[in-house]
C-alpha cells in the first residue's frame, strides 16, 4: 500500500468522523508524517517541506474543524526548518570556500544561500517578539519562502540587477538538478533527515505523555475542600481530578452537557474514582457557580489570541464564572495550540451535528404537515419560514478575557502568553498551510 | 473473496470477516422511467449517487467485505465503482457480483448461495439505504443470540415513529409487528394498508380477544368476518394466533415501527432461500414463511433503533424526504459539508461549505448577487443562478444553469440542467440534461427524465411524468413474457417484474385492489385530456391491466436515437436546425400537452395502481393526507355524539360515488357514512348471533371483537344491538342481507291500532327476554343507559342514522311502553331515566315530544321512588 492511498484513506476516515477527538487525530497525523518522511526520498529540506505541506493541507482540509491536525503539520514543518537553519548556519560558517560542494549539503540549499543577503538570515533567527511582531510577516513573505522555486525567486529579487544574469543561470541550473534528481535511480537523501525523524519520534512520545504531564500539576491547582465545577466529559480533566484526589479531599460538580450528556459518564467515572461528585443540569450552572471555587474544563483547541474552542455550552459556563469572579481554568495539551485566529478564513469553528440528539425524528413529520397546510393557503411563500430548524453545534468559542489560566503539559500560562508559545513551536511562514492563500497574499 | 479459513470451527469464528451484501437493485419499479436509463442506486441524492451513502455507512461500521450484487445496469454500476475510491482502498474490499437475470431478491439470494461466497454472518441491505446507525450493538446482539441458539438466523433493524404523518412523509406503508417483549423475537410481521387499519389491529390484539384457532398463515389480507371485507381498507381485522400467548406472558404488538430494511443474517438465510425456491421477496415471503413455519424453529429478532437515522429511498416520496433530512443534517456525518463522498468530474472533488440556514455551497458557484438563496439548499460547483432568482429547499447539481427571475422551490435539479428565464418550478425532479424553456412552469410532482425538453411558456401539469423513452404496452401471454425478457435484456429486466407482481396481487385482498385502480385511472384521466392516439391506447390497456389478472406486460426501450437527437436540437439548436427537424419532431409524436410546443418527451403513465399524490416528489395535498388518516378521527368523533352521522363524508374523496349512498343500495358499504356502516355491522353481527343461536357469551365475544376493531365504546354497540332488536319486531329492513330475512316477521302490526300495539310490544318483550342480558352487558354505566334512551328517541323519530330507515316510526306511539319494558327488564335503571328526563327538560320544544309522551310513566316512576324513599325513611 503506497503512501498516497494511505493518506487518502486517513482523509476518508477523518471526513467520516471515524477518528474522534483531537488527541487521536494529532497522533495519527504525526504517524502519517513520520511515514511520509521515512519512506519518501527528499534531496533537500525545501522539497521535504513542500511534501509535508501538501499532505498536511490535504489532511487538514479533510476535517477543517480539527485544528490539531494542522498543528502537528506545523510542528513538523518547524522541525524541518530548524534543521535546515542549523545546516545553513553551519554551511555559512564554513562557506569561506563557496565552491566546496562536498562539505555542505547539495542542491539549492547551498545555491539559495549564495544569493541570500545575510540580514535576512539574522532576522529569521530572531524569535518573534513585540518589537518585531509587525515586520516579521513582511519579511517572511518575500524573504523566506517555503517552496523551492519560491526560494529561488526570492533570492533573485533580493540580489541587485547586476546579479540577474547569474540568478537566471542559477535558476536554470537548479531546474536541471531537480530534473536529474528525479530521473536518477537513487536521488540523494537530505542528510539531516534523520534528525527530523528523531525529533518527530520525540514528538510522538511527547503526545503520549501529555495527559500525564497535565495531571501531575493537579495538586498545585486543587486545594483541600474546594468545590470544582466542570462541564461534560473530558479525559484530561478526569485524569487531572483523579490525580488530585489521591492527595486532596474535594468536591466536583459536573454539568451534564446536553444534548450529548457525556457529563453523565464523567460523573460516573469520578464516582468510581472515589471523588465526591454532584451531577447538575446545564441550566443550574449559574446557580451552582456561587458555590464553586474553580472551574476546570477541557478544550478542543486554543487559538492564537488566547481564546479557545470548547464543547458547546462552555461559553455559558465561562460567563457564569466571570460573573461570580471564579477562576476559569482550561486544561489543554499543547498539540491543541493553533496559530490561527478565530477570524481566520481557515478556521472552521463548528461542526453541526445531527439534530437527532436534540429532538426526536418525529418532529419532521409534524413540521412536514404544517408546512403543507400553509402551502394550501394564500401565503404559500411564507410556508417555508414556519417549520422549525433544529441545530446541534458541537463547539463554542470562548474569548480570551473569560479565561484565567491554561494548564498545559509544559506548565500554566495566561491567555496573554499564548503568542509566545506559538513562536516556540511554529514557524511564522507555516501559520497558513494553504498554499493558494499564501500565493494570493503575495500577489 | 471468502474468508480464507480452512482451520477448525473456533478459529474460523475468531477470524470471521464482516461481510455485507448490498443489493444494487431493489426489484421494484417506483423510479421508472428514470431507472430505464440509469440504475436507481446511481440516482444522485443531494448530488451524490445513492449507492455511495450505503457504502460509506458500511465502511463507517468497519465492514471489511462488501459484495455489491448487480442485476440491471450492472455495467453502469461496475463502471461507477471502478471510477470511485472504493476499489483503490484497502478496507473495505468492494467487489461486484453480477447476475443480470435475477428478477427478485429471492433469486439474488439463491444465486449468492450457489456462488458460495458467503461463509459467515452478513449484513443484508439494499443500495438505497441512508443511515448513520452504529451497527455494533445490533451485530453483537445477533452474534450473541446466534451463538446461543443457531436457529436465531436474522435480526431486522426497525425504527420507531410516533407521529402518524411520518409514514406519509417517507412514503411508507404501515406495518404491524408482534414482538416477544423480553427477547425481541419477531412473532408477526404484517404490512398494512393504512394506519387506521394498523390502529384497529393493535387494538384487537391488545385485548387479546379473537381467540381464533385458525393460523394466520401467509400474510395476505384475511378478513375475519365477511362483513369486514365489505368495508375494504379501513376495517381490516388482523388475526394474531392465540398460541403466541401460550409460550410467553407478554407480547408487544406495535404499529409504530418503520422497517429500515437493514438486516443481519446468518448464512442459513441463503440456504433457506434455496430450499424454498418460490421465495421472492424478503419480507412477504421469507419473513412471513419463517414465522409461519414455526415447526422449523427458525427465529427472527428485531433491533429497535434509538435516535439514529435510517431510511430507504424506495420511491419518489422518500427521495424528497431523505434529501431534506440530509440537508437538515439528520444523517450526520453524511452531510454535504463533510465532503465524505467521492466526486469526480470537471469540478474536482466535493468541496461543500456550510452556511447558516442549512445552505451548502460548493467552492465554485456562480450565483448572482441579486439572487436570494433560501434555506435547505445545496448548490453544486459550476452552477449559475441568474439575477432575481429565489431558490430554496432545493438541490442543484453541478453545472446547473438557471436564468433570470426564476422561482425554484423544493426541486431536485441534477447535473447540467438548464433552466431559462422567468421559470417557476416547485417540488419536481429534473434529471440530467433536462432543458426548460423561458417562462415555463413546472407544477408540483413533476418528474422529467433524462434529456426531456420543456417548451417555452408551457405549464407542465402536476404529477406529470415525462421521459424520452416511450412506454410500450403489449398484451401478451405468459410464454411471451419470457421472450420479452430474453430479447429486451438488461434494460427491460431492470423493472418489468410481472411474475412477482402477479403473485403479490393474488395474495393481497380484494378490498384494496379496486380502490387502487380507481385512483390510478383517476389520475390518468385527469392528466391526459388531449392525448394522441398512441397515448390513449396505452392508457386503455394500462388501466385494464391494473384491474387484475390479464396483466399487460410493459417493456421499454432506451430512448430512440432520433428522439434524443431531436431533443438536443430543440434544447440548444438555432432556428434553422429546428426548422430542419420540424418534420421529424412531428413524426416522433411528443406529448405536446405535457412538454409544450418545442418540447421533447413522452408521457409515462402511472400504471401500477400507485397513488400519484401520495408517493410523488411533492408533499401530498392536505385533503389527501386527511383522507388517509381520517378514519381514526372519525371513530373518535363517532364515539361521542350521534348527530355527526348525517351528511356525506367529503374527505373520502374520489373513490366514493355519492350515488351509492341511497338507502336501498346500502350494500355498497364503503359509500355510506361510517356511523351507518357501523350500525349495519353491529346489526348483522347481532343477527348472525340470533340466527346461529349463539350462546350469550359467544355473542358478547363477537360483538366485542367488532367493537375493538372499530374502536368504539360499549354504548355504541348497545345502541345498535338495541335498534336491531327493535327492528326484529318488524319486517326486514332494506340493509339486512337476505340470509337473515327469515328472522324477521313477515307482517307489520299496525301500531296505530290497539291490537297492533300489543302485538308489537309482545314481540319486543320476547326479544328482550332473549337478549336483554346481552344488552345489559354492553351498558356499563348510567351514561350508557341514557345514551340508549336517546337512541330510542332517534329511532322512533327516524332521525340521524335512522333517517334512511323509517321503520322506527312504528314504535313512536309506544315510546312510553318501551320505556316501561326497559325499566321492568332492568335494562335501564331508574336513575338513567330520570337523568334522561332532566337532560331533556332543557331541550327545545320540538325535541320534547317523547318526553311528553312518557310523562305519565315518569310521574309514576317519581311516585314509586318517593314511596321507596318513604319506606326507607320509615324503616329507619
Amino acid at each position: 500500500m503506497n503512501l498516497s492511498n494511505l493518506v487518502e484513506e486517513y482523509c476518508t476516515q477523518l471526513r467520516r468522523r471515524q477518528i474522534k477527538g483531537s488527541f487521536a487525530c494529532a497522533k495519527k497525523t504525526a504517524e502519517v508524517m513520520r511515514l511520509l518522511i521515512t519512506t519518501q526520498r527528499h534531496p533537500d529540506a525545501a522539497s521535504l517541506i513542500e511534501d509535508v505541506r501538501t499532505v498536511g493541507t490535504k489532511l487538514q482540509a479533510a476535517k477543517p474543524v480539527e485544528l490539531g491536525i494542522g498543528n502537528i503539520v506545523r510542528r513538523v514543518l518547524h522541525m524541518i526548518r530548524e534543521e535546515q537553519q542549523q545546516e545553513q548556519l553551519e554551511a555559512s560558517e564554513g562557506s569561506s570556500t563557496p565552491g566546496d560542494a562536498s562539505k555542505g549539503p547539495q542542491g539549492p540549499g547551498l545555491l539559495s544561500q549564495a544569493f541570500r543577503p545575510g540580514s535576512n538570515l539574522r532576522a529569521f533567527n530572531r524569535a518573534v517578539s513585540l518589537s518585531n511582531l509587525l515586520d516579521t510577516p513582511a519579511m517572511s513573505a518575500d524573504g523566506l519562502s517555503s517552496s523551492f522555486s519560491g526560494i529561488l525567486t526570492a533570492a533573485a529579487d533580493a540580489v541587485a540587477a547586476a546579479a540577474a544574469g547569474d540568478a537566471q543561470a542559477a535558476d536554470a541550473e537548479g531546474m536541471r538538478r531537480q530534473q536529474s534528481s528525479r530521473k536518477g535511480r537513487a536521488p540523494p537523501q537530505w542528510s539531516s533527515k534523520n534528525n527530523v525523524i528523531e525529533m518527530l519520534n520525540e514528538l510522538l512520545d511527547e503526545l503520549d505523555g501529555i495527559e500525564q504531564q497535565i495531571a501531575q500539576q493537579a495538586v498545585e491547582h486543587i486545594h483541600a475542600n474546594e468545590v470544582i465545577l466542570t462541564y461534560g466529559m473530558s479525559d484530561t480533566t478526569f485524569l487531572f481530578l483523579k490525580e488530585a484526589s489521591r492527595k486532596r479531599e474535594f468536591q466536583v460538580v459536573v454539568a451534564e452537557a446536553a444534548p450529548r450528556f457525556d457529563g453523565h459518564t464523567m460523573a460516573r467515572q469520578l464516582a468510581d474514582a472515589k471523588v465526591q461528585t454532584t451531577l447538575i443540569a446545564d441550566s443550574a450552572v449559574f446557580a451552582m457557580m456561587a458555590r464553586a471555587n474553580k472551574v476546570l474544563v477541557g478544550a478542543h483547541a486554543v487559538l492564537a489570541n488566547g481564546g479557545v474552542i470548547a464543547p458547546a455550552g462552555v461559553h455559558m459556563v465561562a460567563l457564569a464564572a466571570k460573573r461570580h469572579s471564579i477562576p476559569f481554568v482550561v486544561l489543554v495539551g499543547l498539540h491543541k495550540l493553533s496559530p490561527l485566529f478565530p477570524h481566520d478564513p481557515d478556521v472552521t469553528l463548528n461542526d453541526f451535528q445531527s439534530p437527532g440528539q436534540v429532538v426526536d425524528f418525529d418532529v419532521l413529520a409534524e413540521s412536514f404537515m404544517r408546512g403543507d397546510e400553509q402551502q394550501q393557503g394564500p401565503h404559500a411563500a411564507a410556508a417555508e419560514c414556519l417549520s422549525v430548524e433544529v441545530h446541534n453545534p458541537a463547539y463554542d468559542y470562548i474569548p480570551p478575557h473569560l479565561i484565567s489560566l491554561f494548564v498545559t503539559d509544559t506548565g500554566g500560562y495566561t491567555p496573554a502568553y499564548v503568542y509566545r508559545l506559538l513562536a516556540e513551536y511554529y514557524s511564522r511562514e507555516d501559520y497558513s498551510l494553504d498554499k493558494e492563500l499564501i500565493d494570493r497574499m503575495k500577489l | 473473496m471468502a474468508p480464507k479459513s480452512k482451520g477448525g470451527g473456533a478459529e474460523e469464528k475468531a477470524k470471521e470477516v464482516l461481510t455485507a451484501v448490498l443489493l444494487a437493485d431493489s426489484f421494484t419499479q417506483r423510479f421508472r422511467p428514470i431507472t430505464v436509463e440509469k440504475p436507481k442506486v446511481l440516482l444522485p441524492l443531494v448530488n451524490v449517487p445513492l449507492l455511495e451513502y450505503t457504502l460509506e455507512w458500511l465502511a463507517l461500521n468497519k465492514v471489511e467485505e462488501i459484495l455489491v450484487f448487480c442485476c440491471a445496469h450492472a455495467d453502469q454500476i461496475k463502471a461507477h465503482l471502478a471510477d470511485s475510491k472504493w476499489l483503490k482502498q484497502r478496507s473495505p474490499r468492494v467487489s461486484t457480483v453480477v447476475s443480470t437475470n435475477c428478477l427478485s431478491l429471492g433469486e439474488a439470494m439463491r444465486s449468492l448461495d450457489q456462488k458460495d461466497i458467503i461463509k459467515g454472518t452478513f449484513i443484508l441491505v439494499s443500495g438505497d439505504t441512508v443511515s448513520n446507525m452504529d451497527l455494533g450493538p445490533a451485530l453483537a446482539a445477533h452474534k450473541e443470540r446466534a451463538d446461543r441458539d443457531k436457529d436465531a438466523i436474522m435480526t431486522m433493524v426497525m425504527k420507531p415513529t410516533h407521529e402518524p404523518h411520518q409514514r406519509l412523509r417517507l412514503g411508507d406503508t404501515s406495518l404491524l409487528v408482534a414482538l416477544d417483549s423480553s427477547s425481541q423475537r419477531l412473532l408477526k410481521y404484517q404490512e398494512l394498508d393504512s394506519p387506521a387499519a394498523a390502529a384497529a389491529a393493535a387494538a384487537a390484539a391488545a385485548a387479546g380477544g379473537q381467540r381464533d384457532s385458525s393460523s394466520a398463515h401467509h400474510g395476505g389480507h384475511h378478513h375475519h368476518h365477511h362483513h369486514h371485507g365489505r368495508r375494504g381498507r379501513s376495517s381490516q381485522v388482523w388475526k394474531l394466533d392465540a398460541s403466541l400467548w401460550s409460550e410467553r406472558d407478554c407480547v408487544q404488538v406495535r404499529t409504530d415501527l418503520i422497517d429500515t430494511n437493514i438486516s443481519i443474517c446468518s448464512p442459513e438465510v441463503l440456504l433457506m432461500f434455496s430450499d424454498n425456491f418460490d421465495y421472492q421477496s424478503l419480507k412477504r415471503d421469507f419473513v412471513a414463511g419463517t414465522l409461519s413455519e414455526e415447526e422449523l424453529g427458525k427465529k427472527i429478532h428485531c433491533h429497535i433503533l434509538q435516535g439514529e437515522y435510517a431510511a430507504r429511498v424506495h420511491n419518489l416520496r422518500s427521495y424528497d424526504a431523505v434529501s431534506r433530512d440530509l440537508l437538515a443534517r439528520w444523517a450526520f456525518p453524511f452531510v454535504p459539508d463533510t465532503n465524505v463522498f467521492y466526486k469526480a468530474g470537471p469540478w474536482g472533488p466535493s468541496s461543500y461549505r456550510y452556511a447558516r440556514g442549512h445552505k451548502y455551497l460548493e467552492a465554485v458557484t456562480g450565483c448572482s448577487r441579486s439572487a436570494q438563496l433560501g434555506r435547505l439548499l445545496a448548490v453544486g460547483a459550476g452552477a449559475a443562478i441568474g439575477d432575481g432568482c429565489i431558490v430554496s429547499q432545493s438541490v442543484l447539481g453541478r453545472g446547473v444553469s438557471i436564468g433570470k427571475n426564476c422561482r425554484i422551490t423544493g426541486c431536485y435539479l441534477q447535473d447540467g440542467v438548464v433552466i431559462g428565464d422567468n421559470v417557476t418550478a416547485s417540488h419536481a425532479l429534473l434529471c440530467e440534461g433536462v432543458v426548460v424553456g423561458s417562462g415555463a412552469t413546472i407544477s408540483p410532482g413533476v418528474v422529467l427524465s433524462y434529456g426531456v425538453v420543456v417548451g417555452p411558456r408551457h405549464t407542465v401539469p402536476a404529477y406529470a411524468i415525462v421521459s424520452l423513452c416511450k412506454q410500450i404496452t403489449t398484451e401478451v401471454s405468459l410464454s411471451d413474457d419470457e421472450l420479452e425478457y430474453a430479447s429486451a435484456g438488461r434494460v427491460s429486466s431492470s423493472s418489468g417484474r410481472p411474475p412477482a407482481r402477479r403473485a403479490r396481487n393474488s395474495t393481497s385482498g380484494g378490498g384494496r385492489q379496486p380502490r387502487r385502480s380507481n385512483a390510478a385511472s383517476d389520475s390518468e384521466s385527469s392528466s391526459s385530456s388531449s392525448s394522441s392516439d398512441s397515448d390513449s391506447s396505452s392508457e386503455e390497456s394500462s388501466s385494464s391491466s391494473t384491474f387484475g389478472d390479464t396483466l399487460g406486460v410493459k417493456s421499454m426501450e432506451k430512448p430512440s436515437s432520433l428522439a434524443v437527437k431531436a431533443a438536443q436540437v430543440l434544447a440548444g439548436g438555432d432556428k434553422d436546425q429546428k426548422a430542419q427537424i420540424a418534420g421529424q419532431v412531428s413524426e416522433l409524436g411528443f406529448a405536446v400537452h405535457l412538454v409544450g410546443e418545442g418540447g421533447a418527451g413522452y408521457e409515462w403513465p402511472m400504471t401500477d395502481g400507485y397513488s400519484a399524490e401520495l408517493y410523488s416528489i411533492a408533499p401530498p395535498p392536505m385533503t389527501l393526507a386527511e383522507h388517509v388518516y381520517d378514519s381514526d378521527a372519525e371513530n373518535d368523533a363517532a364515539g361521542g355524539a350521534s348527530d355527526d352521522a348525517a351528511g356525506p363524508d367529503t374527505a373520502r374523496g374520489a373513490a366514493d360515488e355519492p350515488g351509492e349512498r341511497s338507502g336501498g343500495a346500502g350494500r355498497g358499504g364503503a359509500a355510506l357514512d361510517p356511523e351507518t356502516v357501523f350500525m349495519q355491522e353491529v346489526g348483522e353481527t347481532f343477527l348472525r348471533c340470533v340466527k346461529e343461536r349463539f350462546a350469550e357469551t359467544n355473542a358478547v365475544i363477537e360483538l366485542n371483537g367488532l367493537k375493538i376493531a372499530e374502536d368504539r365504546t360499549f354504548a355504541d354497540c348497545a345502541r345498535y344491538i338495541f335498534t336491531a332488536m327493535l327492528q326484529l319486531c318488524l319486517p326486514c329492513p332494506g340493509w339486512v342481507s337476505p340470509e337473515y330475512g327469515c328472522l324477521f316477521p313477515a307482517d307489520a302490526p299496525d301500531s296505530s291500532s290497539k291490537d297492533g300495539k300489543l302485538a308489537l310490544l309482545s314481540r319486543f318483550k320476547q326479544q328482550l327476554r332473549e337478549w336483554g342480558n346481552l344488552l345489559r352487558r354492553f351498558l356499563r354505566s348510567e351514561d350508557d343507559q341514557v345514551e340508549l334512551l336517546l337512541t330510542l328517541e332517534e329511532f322512533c323519530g327516524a332521525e340521524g342514522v335512522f333517517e334512511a330507515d323509517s321503520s322506527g316510526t312504528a314504535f313512536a306511539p309506544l315510546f312510553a311502553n318501551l320505556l316501561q319494558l326497559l325499566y321492568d327488564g332492568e335494562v335501564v335503571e331508574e336513575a338513567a331515566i330520570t337523568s334522561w328526563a332532566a337532560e331533556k327538560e332543557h331541550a327545545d320544544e320540538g325535541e320534547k315530544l317523547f318526553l311528553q309522551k312518557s310523562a305519565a310513566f315518569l310521574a309514576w316512576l317519581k311516585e314509586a321512588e318517593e314511596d321507596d324513599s318513604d319506606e326507607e325513611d320509615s324503616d329507619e
Side-chain angles (χ1 to χ4, degrees), chain B residues 607-661:
Chain B
T607 53
D608 53 354
Y610 203 56
S611 163
E613 286 87 355
L614 273 183
Y615 296 107
S616 81
I617 223 98
M622 204 58 199
T623 46
L624 203 71
E626 275 169 4
H627 165 51
V628 172
Y629 292 98
D630 62 355
S631 1
D632 294 335
E634 273 168 24
N635 291 348
D636 291 348
S642 53
D643 51 14
D644 68 341
D649 191 353
T650 46
R652 273 194 182 270
D656 301 337
E657 299 288 325
E660 270 185 81
R661 212 184 153 264

Side-chain angles (χ1 to χ4, degrees), chain A residues 1 5-6 8-9 12 15-18 61-62 64 345-348 350-357 359-366 368-370 372-373 375-376 381 383-391, chain B residues 56 59-62 85-86 88-91 132 159-163 165-166 168-170 307 309 317 325 328-330 332-334 338-340 353-354 357-358 375 392-393 407 409 427 619-622 625:
Chain A
M1 170 139 226
N5 281 359
L6 191 98
E8 206 44 60
E9 197 178 291
T12 314
R15 291 197 193 101
R16 247 182 234 148
R17 306 295 194 260
Q18 235 168 342
D346 283 6
V347 176
T348 308
N350 231 329
D351 223 6
F352 288 90
Q353 299 185 336
S354 167
Q357 291 174 329
V359 71
D360 195 87
F361 181 61
D362 282 345
V363 78
L364 285 173
E366 274 170 49
F368 165 70
M369 290 321 292
R370 206 165 303 134
D372 187 47
E373 208 167 19
Q375 271 166 13
Q376 302 298 311
E384 48 200 78
C385 324
L386 281 168
S387 68
V388 179
E389 224 174 82
V390 189
H391 286 278
Chain B
E56 275 294 343
L60 177 70
N61 279 291
K62 303 202 174 63
K85 69 186 175 198
W86 298 105
K88 292 176 198 125
Q89 282 182 2
R90 216 169 21 159
S91 176
N132 60 359
K159 186 172 170 56
T161 173
H162 307 293
E163 174 70 35
H165 289 141
Q166 190 71 269
L168 196 64
R169 202 179 83 90
L170 291 170
Y309 187 83
R317 183 82 286 282
D325 293 351
R329 312 184 73 84
W330 287 89
F332 186 89
F334 303 126
T338 51
N339 294 310
V340 175
R353 293 200 73 153
Y354 179 81
H358 297 323
R375 48 185 286 273
S392 68
Q393 302 178 45
R407 292 184 68 108
T409 316
H427 304 286
M622 204 58 199

Side-chain angles (χ1 to χ4, degrees), chain B residues 14 84 225 266 290 388 498 528 610 640 691 724:
Chain B
S84 74
H225 305 306
S266 299
T290 310
S528 55
Y610 203 56
K691 190 182 177 208

Side-chain angles (χ1 to χ4, degrees), chain A residues 91-417:
Chain A
S92 67
E93 272 162 14
S95 69
S96 45
T97 52
D100 191 3
S102 63
K103 204 177 167 191
Q106 298 179 339
L110 197 77
L111 260 173
S112 60
Q113 206 182 313
F115 295 103
R116 178 167 297 141
S119 63
N120 234 346
L121 205 68
R122 238 185 297 123
F124 179 75
N125 282 331
R126 259 193 307 166
V128 184
S129 70
L130 264 186
S131 58
N132 66 6
L133 204 57
L134 291 173
D135 57 45
T136 21
M139 179 275 298
S140 72
D142 57 19
L144 269 173
S145 268
S146 53
S147 68
F148 171 63
S149 61
I151 288 170
L152 283 175
T153 43
D157 282 350
V159 174
D166 287 341
Q168 270 169 9
D171 204 335
E173 192 187 354
M175 293 298 281
R176 215 179 324 115
R177 262 184 217 211
Q178 206 178 24
Q179 277 173 355
S180 68
S181 75
R182 292 233 171 103
K183 273 181 198 160
R185 263 197 195 158
Q189 191 75 288
W190 182 40
S191 59
S192 307
K193 205 165 171 180
N194 282 336
N195 297 349
V196 175
I197 295 169
E198 216 166 277
M199 279 153 74
L200 191 49
N201 284 335
E202 273 169 35
L203 174 67
L204 274 161
D205 290 344
E206 191 187 310
L207 279 175
D208 283 332
I210 276 182
E211 283 183 342
Q212 211 46 51
Q213 292 278 335
I214 297 175
Q216 273 165 16
Q217 304 163 51
V219 194
E220 295 163 38
H221 294 279
I222 295 178
H223 309 294
N225 298 321
E226 270 190 335
V227 177
I228 311 288
L229 191 139
T230 185
Y231 183 89
M233 175 73 204
S234 145
D235 286 332
T236 318
T237 315
F238 170 68
L239 285 174
F240 192 83
L241 292 169
K242 196 178 162 192
E243 187 66 32
S245 75
R246 286 163 33 147
K247 298 230 174 93
R248 303 250 198 280
E249 281 276 314
F250 58 93
Q251 262 194 63
V252 180
V253 177
V254 185
E256 61 178 358
R260 276 161 279 273
F261 299 109
D262 44 6
H264 296 182
T265 328
M266 180 76 162
R268 202 161 274 146
Q269 287 190 15
L270 283 170
D272 287 346
K274 306 266 184 305
V275 178
Q276 199 186 337
T277 312
T278 312
L279 181 69
I280 58 166
D282 297 347
S283 43
V285 161
F286 190 88
M288 210 59 174
M289 196 58 82
R291 288 193 49 207
N293 298 101
K294 200 167 277 158
V295 179
L296 276 183
V297 292
H300 176 68
V302 179
L303 300 178
N305 64 345
V308 300
I309 298 174
V314 173
H315 194 172
M316 169 190 83
V317 179
L319 283 168
K322 188 80 180 172
R323 174 66 180 71
H324 286 94
S325 300
I326 309 290
F328 185 85
V329 180
V330 180
L331 306 177
V332 64
L334 282 179
H335 64 289
K336 293 181 180 174
L337 177 70
S338 172
L340 300 174
F341 284 86
H343 51 77
D344 269 330
D346 283 6
V347 176
T348 308
L349 277 179
N350 231 329
D351 223 6
F352 288 90
Q353 299 185 336
S354 167
Q357 291 174 329
V358 181
V359 71
D360 195 87
F361 181 61
D362 282 345
V363 78
L364 285 173
E366 274 170 49
S367 64
F368 165 70
M369 290 321 292
R370 206 165 303 134
D372 187 47
E373 208 167 19
Q374 288 296 320
Q375 271 166 13
Q376 302 298 311
H379 310 291
E384 48 200 78
C385 324
L386 281 168
S387 68
V388 179
E389 224 174 82
V390 189
H391 286 278
N392 180 14
Y395 303 113
D396 253 356
Y397 166 69
I398 297 111
H401 69 91
L402 298 178
I403 298 162
S404 318
L405 189 71
F406 289 110
V407 176
T408 72
D409 40 333
T410 61
Y413 305 101
T414 60
Y417 193 75

Side-chain angles (χ1 to χ4, degrees), chain B residues 390-588:
Chain B
I390 302 176
V391 186
S392 68
Q393 302 178 45
S394 298
V395 175
L396 275 53
R398 289 180 159 188
V400 163
S401 153
I402 296 178
K404 291 175 187 159
N405 302 317
C406 293
R407 292 184 68 108
I408 313 278
T409 316
C411 285
Y412 301 92
L413 313 184
Q414 294 181 7
D415 293 1
V417 167
V418 178
I419 293 198
D421 300 338
N422 302 311
V423 170
T424 306
S426 62
H427 304 286
L429 171 62
L430 277 61
C431 293
E432 274 169 44
V434 166
V435 177
V436 179
S438 293
T441 302
I442 313 281
S443 311
V446 166
V447 174
L448 302 180
S449 188
Y450 302 96
V452 166
V453 180
V454 173
R457 290 171 299 283
H458 179 75
T459 299
V460 183
Y463 304 111
I465 294 179
V466 188
S467 169
L468 281 186
C469 326
K470 214 167 178 176
Q471 183 170 329
I472 303 162
T473 315
T474 41
E475 298 278 352
V476 281
S477 67
L478 195 71
S479 58
D480 285 348
D481 256 17
E482 288 154 19
L483 234 164
E484 190 77 44
Y485 286 122
S487 62
R490 273 173 196 152
V491 179
S492 74
S493 71
S494 74
S495 28
R497 309 254 184 263
R501 268 188 55 208
R502 197 172 296 162
R504 219 167 288 153
N505 281 345
S506 60
T507 53
S508 69
R512 163 172 87 171
Q513 207 59 28
R515 193 203 68 82
R516 281 200 160 186
S517 46
N518 258 347
S521 54
D522 273 357
S523 72
E524 271 166 30
S525 55
S526 67
S527 65
S528 55
S529 44
S530 63
S531 49
S532 64
D533 281 0
S534 64
D535 274 336
S536 59
S537 73
S538 74
E539 194 183 307
E540 264 173 36
S541 48
S542 63
S543 55
S544 75
S545 74
T546 54
F547 274 102
D549 300 319
T550 55
L551 261 182
V553 175
K554 280 143 277 175
S555 77
M556 67 257 7
E557 51 183 18
K558 281 194 174 145
S560 66
S561 56
L562 266 178
V564 173
K565 214 175 278 168
Q568 277 166 356
V569 173
L570 286 171
D574 54 32
K575 271 185 187 165
D576 293 346
Q577 282 170 307
K578 280 182 188 169
Q580 240 172 27
I581 61 150
Q584 254 180 45
V585 168
S586 62
E587 222 168 89
L588 281 162

